[in-house]
Amino acid sequence: MGRAATAGGGAGGARRWLPWLGLCFWAAGAAAARGTDNGEALPESIPSAPGTLPHFIEEPDDAYIIKSNPIALRCKARPAMQIFFKCNGEWVHQNEHVSEESLDESSGLKVREVFINVTRQQVEDFHGPEDYWCQCVAWSHLGTSKSRKASVRIAYLRKNFEQDPQGREVPIEGMIVLHCRPPEGVPAAEVEWLKNEEPIDSEQDENIDTRADHNLIIRQARLSDSGNYTCMAANIVAKRRSLSATVVVYVNGGWSSWTEWSACNVRCGRGWQKRSRTCTNPAPLNGGAFCEGMSVQKITCTSLCPVDGSWEVWSEWSVCSPECEHLRIRECTAPPPRNGGKFCEGLSQESKNCTDGLCILDKKPLHEIKPQRWSRRGIENASDIALYSGLGAAVVAVAVLVIGVTLYRRSQSDYGVDVIDSSALTGGFQTFNFKTVRQGNSLLLNSSMQPDLTVSRTYSGPICLQDPLDKELMTESSLFNPLSDIKVKVQSSFMVSLGVSERAEYHGKNHSGTFPHGNNRSFSTMHPRNKTPYIQNLSSLPTRTELRTTGVFGHLGGRLVMPNTGVSLLIPHGAIPEENSWEIYMSINQGEPSLQSDGSEVLLSPEVTCGPPDIIVTTPFALTIPHCADVSSEHWNIHLKKRTQQGKWEEVMSVEDESTSCYCLLDPFACHVLLDSFGTYALTGEPITDCAVKQLKVAVFGCMSCNSLDYNLRVYCVDNTPCAFQEVVSDERHQGGQLLEEPKLLHFKGNTFSLQISVLDIPPFLWRIKPFTACQEVPFSRVWCSNRQPLHCAFSLERYTPTTTQLSCKICIRQLKGHEQILQVQTSILESERETITFFAQEDSTFPAQTGPKAFKIPYSIRQRICATFDTPNAKGKDWQMLAQKNSINRNLSYFATQSSPSAVILNLWEARHQHDGDLDSLACALEEIGRTHTKLSNITESQLDEADFNYSRQNGL
């Protein structure tokens, strides 16, 4: 409360007098009202009791400016003739006030309410020792009253936490303390804790306290307290999440009670007896320590040896009895059986006739009775002979059957190569030569077989195997290198082995032909019943520090392919000037990626280099780069980046952007880019939501360890790009590993949850797993930001006996709150019996460099007719834009409009997308739907294509 303001001089005096000027205007209005015609005079003073100063009913409150939104300050007083705001010691202009006047019905006093707005700019422009503040000053006849000062501040919340919670491993019933210091903010942020993305309510759980300086305290850790903890900070501006802290509550193992002592292990003499206990009271959990001490105790024992009984000598014969017999006996007393020994075997007494058959028994001489006894014994002997004869015949029959089956199988394995000339197969297989070899080969299933006849044959036409699965496996020519010498051995149409000669790098050269290849770059799925023992040993894979291929190209263009990597380069016809030829190279970086991700950005593809960089092409070339993203514009923002000469990476374009400098077409497994300059390129992705998915390829390899009883399993999770898996295969080759199961695809979400890998269903009496390795967990960041580096977990198994040669178990790879995959392992640990799984279901190209018309699917003459037809604008819209639409090219059409021949660039993109299948039928259907050409590409025979290419080459002087 204060008294009436007095006049003052100096600068700012006019502003201090503004409220008094308002009072003067109010007084003048009151005087004019007294002189009105109605004769009613206003009261001499405001209706208030003498000596009453203004009383504030509502005072301004502290406020925060959010972003750029102004805030309103208000105050209300009675009785009051005027109310003005003063901010930072200066009066606010009268025009900035909004005033409302009312009458208090209970007291009859005048109530006045005033509003002002304060903007962000006003607060930012104020530079004073304290915060921006405002207060109300109200006037009555007796003086003024002042309200409280209300501060106005700009609200904000920093992005980074001053201290993130750290993961911990604590024993059960131990104390857990997770520290969290939220980001700086105005107003101060409120802190909330999440466990596995669920809020923690400390009021419902007395064991948890979250009140102590934003920290989370768990007084006694329980197994259920294991999980991922996140600190959430929020104020009126924003919310912030800390890094997740993984808390593992482990249980140390404890011994159970001892069992009873076992019986002595020997029946006679000195031995031992044992008792055992197990580490199950409790069993170790979550990495807890195993029990210390012995699980088995042994002590010595002595057992009395059993003595088997033995007969004494027979006694003398007794006198002859009335029955014409005499007896003799013997006893089991030499020695008698002791300590559980066996009793004597045989009769203890014996009798026989004592008159040589002269004694009469039942009025018959004894010699007449004996023949009957001997005839009965003869019948029994005859039955025994028949039984033994039957058993002997059965044994002979079984032996003959076994010998027959063995001879049949040996005769079947004598066949070398089964070649069936079938006109039913199509696909345009070209003539090729190969040599059948019967000598020992390290890649064969049984390399210890003796060498037999070596036959050299030349086959022309398609190769057809009797089994459809074998036909598919026949397309597996090599894993990495182009082959100048291919050795093929096929036994009984179900085993194929390839010998691959190592080479340091690829060099493009013209060959007489190529092998056929499939249409799908993904791994084929084999039914367990039909799984063929296709042998492709790891030792056949070459070792190189860099994948690289080169080729010499001229005006006719061509295609450069990196086999089994998904990377290819298409040089269109006319991109290189006439009478020029350039050596173009392409390589893949297999070392540490030079592209370092920023923030949430991840690397989705290999770093591909094509060059030389100083070459200028007249027509855009097509570069195909594989990626591992599950493509969706709702969840990913994918960018194409290029490395500058200074080694820095800069963004070329976003895949969804409109650009006239380059074009990106994103397919499910690869990105096709149209470019004008060579260099090093890569794809990066920025997840927009937690539903963004990376495709991972999971595979399991196995090998024996130094200890003959141990067997190691290595489970890999790599980006789903062929070159990433190729690097894993190369590493396993050096370790002697074998692929145990076909790799599978796992969708890994960007939801910050970790990956768990576990071994299940191990045969309990044949194998055991080493402690603490049955289940392993990989943090989310290690998988999500792997930058193509192979991620693997190792499991160590131990056989109980060396006779165990078969291993059967399951490998479970799952993401918490995500997808999972099961790898079924069923293999033999013996190399001679092992069934090896294929690495790649198909190969990009047998020869990396293809030049001239043979490199393209569309014949040059047909291509010219299409371009001449669709490059010309048409009133009905049947031009190159319709051609693009029919080929699923609906975005960034302005890029094609800047080209001299839009149709040619569209067909170049079609060639890059269909380098494996060459589906001319789909292109012919698209042209027929447009209705501007009646050419049916699918009806063009191979001879017509060769003739057209020959005529074109002759016209160009080739």
Side-chain angles (χ1 to χ4, degrees):
M1 306 293 262
R3 296 185 172 275
T6 59
R15 291 186 62 97
R16 291 195 297 270
W17 281 100
L18 284 175
W20 292 109
L21 291 176
L23 288 177
C24 294
F25 284 120
W26 174 82
R34 293 191 185 97
T36 55
D37 295 336
N38 55 15
E40 293 183 4
L42 293 175
E44 295 286 335
S45 63
I46 61 173
S48 60
T52 301
L53 291 174
H55 171 69
F56 283 98
I57 303 173
E58 181 178 351
E59 297 184 87
D61 295 324
D62 295 339
Y64 298 94
I65 295 179
I66 302 174
K67 297 182 179 179
S68 298
N69 301 320
I71 55 99
L73 298 179
R74 56 185 293 176
C75 63
K76 184 189 296 185
R78 67 178 180 190
M81 295 184 297
Q82 283 293 347
I83 301 177
F84 288 96
F85 271 93
K86 178 186 289 187
C87 294
N88 302 318
E90 295 185 359
W91 294 104
V92 178
H93 197 277
Q94 185 175 5
N95 295 338
E96 298 178 13
H97 292 70
V98 178
S99 178
E100 295 180 0
E101 186 176 324
S102 62
L103 191 64
D104 189 352
E105 297 180 356
S106 60
S107 62
L109 298 178
K110 185 180 295 185
V111 177
R112 183 174 296 274
E113 185 175 5
V114 176
F115 304 84
I116 65 168
N117 288 331
V118 179
T119 65
R120 183 187 184 98
Q121 189 65 39
Q122 289 176 312
V123 177
E124 290 179 345
D125 292 343
F126 173 70
H127 302 284
E130 55 185 354
D131 292 334
Y132 190 99
W133 59 270
C134 294
Q135 70 175 162
C136 290
V137 179
W139 281 265
S140 68
H141 285 162
L142 296 182
T144 62
S145 297
K146 296 182 180 179
S147 69
R148 62 178 296 273
K149 290 183 179 180
S151 63
V152 180
R153 304 174 68 184
I154 298 175
Y156 67 92
L157 184 62
R158 305 288 185 196
K159 289 186 177 181
N160 298 324
F161 278 70
E162 296 183 2
Q163 182 179 3
D164 287 301
Q166 302 295 320
R168 296 195 57 191
E169 295 182 358
V170 295
I172 194 168
E173 296 185 357
M175 177 178 286
I176 302 174
V177 179
L178 298 181
H179 299 279
C180 175
R181 293 177 61 189
E184 178 187 353
V186 173
E190 298 289 335
V191 171
E192 179 185 20
W193 284 90
L194 304 179
K195 175 190 174 185
N196 297 332
E197 302 302 320
E198 298 293 335
I200 297 176
D201 190 354
S202 59
E203 296 182 357
Q204 296 182 359
D205 192 345
E206 297 180 353
N207 194 40
I208 298 178
D209 185 8
T210 58
R211 297 169 298 177
D213 196 20
H214 307 307
N215 298 328
L216 173 67
I217 300 175
I218 301 178
R219 298 181 178 88
Q220 290 186 333
R222 302 156 294 191
L223 287 176
S224 59
D225 293 326
S226 297
N228 294 322
Y229 289 83
T230 307
C231 182
M232 289 285 295
N235 64 4
I236 60 176
V237 179
K239 289 184 178 181
R240 300 285 185 258
R241 289 172 58 99
S242 71
L243 297 177
S244 294
T246 301
V247 173
V248 177
V249 180
Y250 62 86
V251 178
N252 294 324
W255 290 114
S256 64
S257 301
W258 289 103
T259 60
E260 298 293 333
W261 289 103
S262 66
C264 199
N265 69 319
V266 295
R267 294 184 57 194
C268 174
R270 187 179 181 86
W272 51 265
Q273 56 186 152
K274 67 177 181 179
R275 65 176 182 175
S276 62
R277 58 181 179 175
T278 58
C279 188
T280 57
N281 186 32
L285 292 175
N286 299 335
F290 199 77
C291 303
E292 296 182 358
M294 302 292 293
S295 62
V296 177
Q297 281 186 346
K298 293 183 179 180
I299 58 174
T300 59
C301 57
T302 303
S303 299
L304 297 177
C305 296
V307 178
D308 295 336
S310 181
W311 293 112
E312 291 280 359
V313 298
W314 288 102
S315 64
E316 297 293 333
W317 289 103
S318 66
V319 297
C320 194
S321 67
E323 289 80 17
C324 304
E325 291 182 342
H326 59 175
L327 305 174
R328 65 176 182 177
I329 61 174
R330 57 179 179 177
E331 294 181 354
C332 187
T333 57
R338 295 192 304 270
N339 304 327
K342 295 181 180 179
F343 197 79
C344 303
E345 295 182 357
L347 297 176
S348 61
Q349 73 177 21
E350 187 178 47
S351 64
K352 69 176 182 177
N353 187 270
C354 55
T355 61
D356 295 331
L358 298 178
C359 184
I360 303 293
L361 182 62
D362 293 335
K363 299 181 181 180
K364 292 184 180 179
L366 289 177
H367 66 274
E368 296 181 4
I369 300 175
K370 287 181 179 180
Q372 297 178 4
R373 184 180 305 170
W374 285 110
S375 63
R376 186 182 306 112
R377 185 176 301 172
I379 293 173
E380 294 175 355
N381 292 338
S383 300
D384 292 342
I385 292 174
L387 175 62
Y388 292 133
S389 299
L391 291 176
V395 170
V396 171
V398 171
V400 170
L401 180 60
V402 171
I403 294 172
V405 172
T406 303
L407 292 177
Y408 174 77
R409 294 181 62 184
R410 184 172 299 174
S411 65
Q412 291 296 316
S413 64
D414 289 338
Y415 292 103
V417 177
D418 298 334
V419 179
I420 302 173
D421 188 7
S422 173
S423 60
L425 291 179
T426 60
F429 294 166
Q430 302 176 15
T431 302
F432 61 92
N433 302 327
F434 63 89
K435 184 176 182 181
T436 59
V437 179
R438 294 186 179 276
Q439 298 176 354
N441 191 331
S442 62
L443 301 179
L444 299 182
L445 183 63
N446 188 359
S447 60
S448 63
M449 295 176 59
Q450 295 298 323
D452 51 9
L453 184 61
T454 299
V455 183
S456 178
R457 301 177 186 175
T458 300
Y459 299 95
S460 177
I463 287 185
C464 180
L465 301 180
Q466 293 178 353
D467 189 16
L469 184 57
D470 295 335
K471 187 189 305 179
E472 178 184 351
L473 294 178
M474 189 61 194
T475 66
E476 303 277 352
S477 56
S478 70
L479 290 183
F480 298 116
N481 285 349
L483 306 180
S484 58
D485 183 18
I486 300 179
K487 300 177 181 179
V488 181
K489 182 166 184 178
V490 185
Q491 292 188 359
S492 302
S493 298
F494 71 88
M495 184 180 72
V496 178
S497 299
L498 300 179
V500 182
S501 60
E502 292 192 5
R503 295 169 63 176
E505 65 177 53
Y506 302 129
H507 296 282
K509 61 174 69 175
N510 295 329
H511 296 266
S512 59
T514 61
F515 284 105
H517 50 72
N519 299 335
N520 191 348
R521 79 172 179 89
S522 61
F523 283 82
S524 60
T525 301
M526 299 182 182
H527 196 281
R529 183 174 57 86
N530 298 326
K531 186 179 290 185
T532 307
Y534 172 66
I535 303 303
Q536 183 67 60
N537 201 323
L538 284 167
S539 61
S540 67
L541 301 178
T543 302
R544 61 173 60 87
T545 57
E546 180 187 51
L547 288 178
R548 181 184 177 91
T549 181
T550 62
V552 178
F553 298 90
H555 183 67
L556 298 181
R559 192 189 303 268
L560 193 60
V561 178
M562 191 82 71
N564 290 316
T565 63
V567 178
S568 63
L569 180 67
L570 182 74
I571 308 296
H573 177 275
I576 300 176
E578 294 187 27
E579 300 180 357
N580 285 351
S581 62
W582 296 335
E583 182 180 12
I584 296 178
Y585 64 85
M586 186 168 59
S587 64
I588 298 177
N589 177 24
Q590 285 195 304
E592 184 70 22
S594 61
L595 175 55
Q596 301 299 326
S597 302
D598 297 332
S600 60
E601 196 175 47
V602 295
L603 185 63
L604 298 177
S605 75
E607 297 175 2
V608 179
T609 302
C610 53
D614 55 348
I615 291 179
I616 300 177
V617 293
T618 58
T619 303
F621 62 88
L623 178 64
T624 299
I625 305 176
H627 65 81
C628 62
D630 190 7
V631 180
S632 174
S633 59
E634 299 178 357
H635 308 309
W636 280 106
N637 188 8
I638 298 178
H639 307 273
L640 175 68
K641 291 195 173 184
K642 180 181 180 181
R643 187 171 61 189
T644 62
Q645 294 182 351
Q646 292 75 22
K648 296 182 179 180
W649 287 84
E650 61 182 15
E651 182 176 334
V652 179
M653 67 173 296
S654 175
V655 173
E656 299 297 327
D657 287 347
E658 299 285 332
S659 173
T660 58
S661 60
C662 64
Y663 187 88
C664 290
L665 181 60
L666 200 63
D667 280 345
F669 295 103
C671 182
H672 310 281
V673 189
L674 297 176
L675 298 165
D676 295 323
S677 60
F678 293 100
T680 302
Y681 296 91
L683 290 175
T684 63
E686 182 179 1
I688 301 175
T689 66
D690 289 347
C691 296
V693 170
K694 277 183 65 175
Q695 295 179 344
L696 302 180
K697 186 171 293 180
V698 294
V700 56
F701 289 80
C703 70
M704 296 288 292
S705 65
C706 298
N707 184 356
S708 62
L709 294 179
D710 290 349
Y711 192 75
N712 295 327
L713 295 177
R714 289 185 289 274
V715 182
Y716 287 86
C717 299
V718 297
D719 293 347
N720 184 33
T721 57
C723 49
F725 185 64
Q726 181 172 328
E727 186 175 350
V728 171
V729 172
S730 179
D731 292 341
E732 281 294 322
R733 178 179 67 85
H734 292 90
Q735 303 181 51
Q738 290 285 340
L739 185 64
L740 303 182
E741 173 64 358
E742 296 171 15
K744 294 186 178 180
L745 203 61
L746 177 68
H747 289 81
F748 190 79
K749 292 184 177 181
N751 55 8
T752 71
F753 286 99
S754 58
L755 188 71
Q756 286 186 347
I757 304 175
S758 55
V759 181
L760 309 174
D761 298 345
I762 300 176
F765 301 106
L766 301 176
W767 293 86
R768 62 185 174 189
I769 191 167
K770 294 298 182 63
F772 314 116
T773 62
C775 181
Q776 302 184 33
E777 186 166 340
V778 183
F780 169 82
S781 59
R782 178 70 177 88
V783 182
W784 188 254
C785 303
S786 62
N787 287 337
R788 294 183 54 252
Q789 298 303 308
L791 167 69
H792 81 276
C793 293
F795 300 89
S796 182
L797 305 180
E798 183 181 3
R799 297 181 286 172
Y800 283 97
T801 63
T803 59
T804 301
T805 61
Q806 299 294 322
L807 173 61
S808 175
C809 64
K810 293 180 180 179
I811 309 293
C812 178
I813 304 101
R814 62 182 293 265
Q815 183 187 17
L816 299 178
K817 294 190 177 181
H819 299 273
E820 74 172 7
Q821 276 291 4
I822 300 293
L823 296 177
Q824 180 68 53
V825 176
Q826 206 161 16
T827 185
S828 171
I829 64 174
L830 299 181
E831 186 175 356
S832 60
E833 300 178 1
R834 184 183 294 115
E835 174 182 324
T836 309
I837 312 299
T838 60
F839 295 150
F840 301 99
Q842 67 87 27
E843 186 178 274
D844 293 318
S845 177
T846 306
F847 307 108
Q850 299 176 356
T851 60
K854 289 293 184 181
F856 303 96
K857 309 299 181 182
I858 306 174
Y860 183 76
S861 58
I862 303 299
R863 180 188 180 93
Q864 282 184 317
R865 292 170 57 186
I866 295 175
C867 294
T869 303
F870 288 96
D871 282 344
T872 305
N874 184 274
K876 296 182 179 180
K878 296 181 179 181
D879 52 10
W880 64 266
Q881 298 187 40
M882 181 72 70
L883 179 64
Q885 180 181 355
K886 292 299 181 181
N887 285 279
S888 303
I889 302 174
N890 303 315
R891 185 186 52 79
N892 196 13
L893 296 182
S894 59
Y895 172 81
F896 300 98
T898 61
Q899 305 299 322
S900 58
S901 176
S903 301
V905 179
I906 293 173
L907 294 180
N908 293 338
L909 193 57
W910 184 93
E911 290 275 2
R913 298 180 71 183
H914 297 83
Q915 61 175 315
H916 297 306
D917 51 37
D919 189 8
L920 294 177
D921 288 337
S922 63
L923 181 59
C925 291
L927 297 178
E928 290 182 359
E929 288 180 9
I930 299 175
R932 294 195 61 188
T933 178
H934 299 286
T935 302
K936 295 185 178 179
L937 300 181
S938 57
N939 293 334
I940 299 177
T941 63
E942 185 176 354
S943 60
Q944 290 173 328
L945 296 181
D946 294 338
E947 182 180 356
D949 294 332
F950 173 75
N951 293 334
Y952 169 76
S953 300
R954 184 174 59 185
Q955 292 171 5
N956 288 273
L958 301 176

